[in-house]
Amino acid sequence: MNLCYILAMDIKDLVRIDLNLLVALHTLLEEGNVSRAAKRLFISQPAMSKTLGRLRNTFDDPLFIRAPHGIRPTARAIELQPALRNLLQETQQLLTPPSFDPKSYSGEFTIAVSEYLGLGVMPKLVPLLYREAPGIRLKTVTRVEKQLDRLAEGELDLAIHLSRSHYSDEFNTHSLGRESPVVLSRKDHPFHQGKGELTDYPFVSFYIADVEDLAIFQQQQIVDTAPERDQAHFETSHLLTALEIIRDSNFMMAAPPLLATIPAVADGIVSTPMTEQTTTIEYMLVSHRRTDNSAVHQWLRQKIIEVVEIA
């Protein structure tokens, strides 16, 4: 017989069962008296007697027989009692909101975060998480396209990225702050000696996920500061490579100012505000609403927010 057909039969049989009947059967077995069982379930004795009739039809067994001081369970009812008790206990656990204790939690999370945001957030976040939840396993990924789709599909738990121009209602967003972009260059760059304009020098283009969806490109493209297409430029997804090129050449890079505040990055590099700058960069923490009722996801979101606020 086809397995799908068997499963469909099982579901069809289960649909006929009223969970209240099983609760009533459990109560009758514990009380051994119709009146006491009715009182415990806050129903009348006639209603309890009617429920007992439905139970007998469901199990095709009398279940109880009259006794001098109440009712006595049949052999079938006695056989049902252990499984019935376990079923109701498991059902109650299923309906009880899970408690969350960071100290005893064990699980893995995947966060999409660009390299420069990771440098600013993760060194503070990771030690904090492992102090409070030593069993947590955290994985970050940097090159992730279509991040919102992957959040919706469950491939990602959270994303920390530059704000997109649009988020649908299925996502929770929390702004982590705004800044105006800057230009990074080496300290002894000719530009700082008054030689030429920014657009006279070659630029490094750093990889940004889903760049076409960024809110900043709805205001003013930061690449407008970069040279024309026929001028020298270099594109990379490796932040350390980009920084070393900037330190050892006349290349520049448009970047979030957060990058210049990181000691490992700032060595030998200076940041220059863009001229006539009206654009701002907004950092966003994003999750999918499927995690709204997950205590551990909410805890992780709050810890990220706390770290950014401390920073």
Side-chain angles (χ1 to χ4, degrees):
M1 184 179 291
N2 186 287
L3 178 60
C4 293
Y5 178 66
I6 294 173
L7 291 174
M9 286 181 59
D10 291 342
I11 292 173
K12 185 178 179 180
D13 290 340
L14 289 173
V15 168
R16 296 190 299 106
I17 303 297
D18 182 350
L19 182 61
N20 289 324
L21 287 180
L22 300 182
V23 174
L25 176 56
H26 174 70
T27 307
L28 285 166
L29 284 165
E30 286 195 334
E31 296 294 342
N33 184 282
V34 173
S35 297
R36 289 200 301 269
K39 184 176 181 180
R40 185 171 163 187
L41 295 176
F42 303 99
I43 61 176
S44 65
Q45 183 172 336
M48 189 74 247
S49 297
K50 185 177 180 179
T51 297
L52 178 55
R54 292 177 61 194
L55 282 166
R56 286 167 170 163
N57 289 334
T58 298
F59 288 96
D60 193 23
D61 187 271
L63 296 176
F64 297 94
I65 58 175
R66 292 185 181 277
H69 302 290
I71 52 177
R72 181 180 303 162
T74 64
R76 173 64 171 146
I78 293 172
E79 290 173 357
L80 289 171
Q81 191 169 19
L84 181 61
R85 184 185 300 112
N86 291 337
L87 174 62
L88 294 179
Q89 286 176 346
E90 291 175 0
T91 301
Q92 186 174 33
Q93 292 174 2
L94 183 66
L95 297 175
T96 302
S99 59
F100 171 63
D101 177 16
K103 290 293 184 184
S104 61
Y105 179 79
S106 177
E108 181 175 291
F109 293 88
T110 302
I111 301 176
V113 57
S114 67
E115 211 171 341
Y116 61 84
L117 282 173
L119 280 171
V121 175
M122 291 303 156
K124 300 179 182 67
L125 178 65
V126 172
L128 172 64
L129 294 183
Y130 282 90
R131 281 197 303 270
E132 297 191 18
I136 197 171
R137 298 186 301 279
L138 199 64
K139 180 171 72 173
T140 60
V141 288
T142 55
R143 287 204 64 155
V144 186
E145 298 287 349
K146 306 300 180 185
Q147 292 185 7
L148 297 182
D149 290 344
R150 298 196 178 191
L151 281 168
E153 293 163 4
E155 297 178 27
L156 296 174
D157 293 287
L158 294 167
I160 305 173
H161 59 210
L162 297 184
S163 177
R164 276 38 178 169
S165 57
H166 173 72
Y167 295 95
S168 69
D169 292 341
E170 63 182 312
F171 297 100
N172 291 309
T173 61
H174 181 91
S175 176
L176 298 176
R178 294 173 177 269
E179 296 179 302
S180 294
V182 296
V183 174
L184 303 182
S185 60
R186 60 187 172 95
K187 287 183 177 179
D188 56 351
H189 195 285
F191 174 77
H192 304 305
Q193 302 168 18
K195 298 179 180 179
E197 303 294 332
L198 288 176
T199 51
D200 293 333
Y201 296 96
F203 266 62
V204 174
S205 298
F206 185 66
Y207 165 82
I208 301 176
D210 304 333
V211 66
E212 69 281 359
D213 297 328
L214 297 186
I216 190 173
F217 279 81
Q218 303 299 317
Q219 306 175 58
Q220 173 187 328
Q221 294 191 10
I222 59 174
V223 293
D224 285 346
T225 309
E228 299 295 332
R229 291 179 182 273
D230 58 349
Q231 291 178 274
H233 70 279
F234 173 71
E235 183 176 345
T236 183
S237 62
H238 302 286
L239 180 60
L240 292 180
T241 298
L243 294 172
E244 286 306 307
I245 290 173
I246 293 170
R247 288 190 181 98
D248 295 336
S249 71
N250 286 341
F251 272 83
M252 296 176 154
M253 183 171 74
L258 170 68
L259 210 53
T261 66
I262 301 168
V265 173
D267 183 33
I269 290 178
V270 295
S271 62
T272 304
M274 290 186 177
T275 57
E276 300 179 0
Q277 182 58 259
T278 59
T279 304
T280 58
I281 293 173
E282 183 175 22
Y283 308 114
M284 198 71 73
L285 172 61
V286 187
S287 63
H288 193 269
R289 291 197 180 278
R290 64 184 171 77
T291 63
D292 279 0
N293 293 322
S294 168
V296 64
H297 280 85
Q298 298 309 311
W299 173 81
L300 182 56
R301 277 174 53 89
Q302 186 57 41
K303 291 303 165 184
I304 293 173
I305 293 169
E306 286 178 11
V307 164
V308 174
E309 288 177 347
I310 292 173

